[in-house]
Amino acid sequence: LAELERLNLAAAQGSSLQVTVPRDWPADGETRIGYVTVLRIAESVRELHWRLDVLPRAHEGEIDTVIRSLSGEFLAPILGGSIVLGTYAVSKLTRRSYGLQIQLASAAGEIFALLQLTNVFVNPRTLKATSPPSEVTAALNILAAENLPDSPGH
């Protein structure tokens, strides 16, 4: 995320991320970006979530996550020159892990990709699974509750 921001290709808008896809990101002879580049954009959305929702509630170096699983649907091509809006939602919170859903869409609402990640909290020194600080758990619980299907606004 920091690299895309430094290049003026990404800007946070609250809890969403707007990414401008350079025309030179597609492979030679292509007009659309490949799935690895789509995942790079999704990772930037995940980093925004971490920056907004986790880091302010944890001491530096206290907690990290590793991805246990990743699945996704690539529903429409993302062309070089496109503007991509990335959003996320927290789900499936457990004692040591949580789900993160990432959506990449156009400004007009066309969904390009939907990704599901399972993040496992780890101690950054030992890389062993651990529980996050209670402040992080509380914040993720609030985010997960906001994304329940029967909550207001859904």
Side-chain angles (χ1 to χ4, degrees), residues 26-43:
D28 290 342
E30 298 284 343
T31 58
R32 68 191 187 294
I33 60 173
Y35 72 93
V36 172
T37 307
V38 173
L39 292 175
R40 178 181 179 194
I41 296 170
E43 172 61 10

Side-chain angles (χ1 to χ4, degrees), residues 46-47 63 83 88 100 127:
R46 190 207 61 81
E47 289 175 8
I63 196 79
I83 303 294
Y88 63 88
L100 190 67
L127 298 179

Side-chain angles (χ1 to χ4, degrees), residues 38 72-79 82-88 101-116:
V38 173
E73 295 180 75
F74 302 91
L75 303 170
I78 301 175
L79 304 179
S82 295
I83 303 294
V84 175
L85 301 176
T87 57
Y88 63 88
Q101 300 168 335
I102 296 175
Q103 176 179 288
L104 303 179
S106 71
E110 178 183 18
I111 299 174
F112 296 130
L114 296 170
L115 301 141
Q116 325 289 316

Side-chain angles (χ1 to χ4, degrees), residues 65-77:
T65 58
V66 294
I67 301 299
R68 180 175 58 211
S69 68
L70 165 68
S71 63
E73 295 180 75
F74 302 91
L75 303 170

Side-chain angles (χ1 to χ4, degrees), residues 112-124:
F112 296 130
L114 296 170
L115 301 141
Q116 325 289 316
L117 292 79
T118 300
N119 301 274
V120 176
F121 288 103
V122 296
N123 176 306

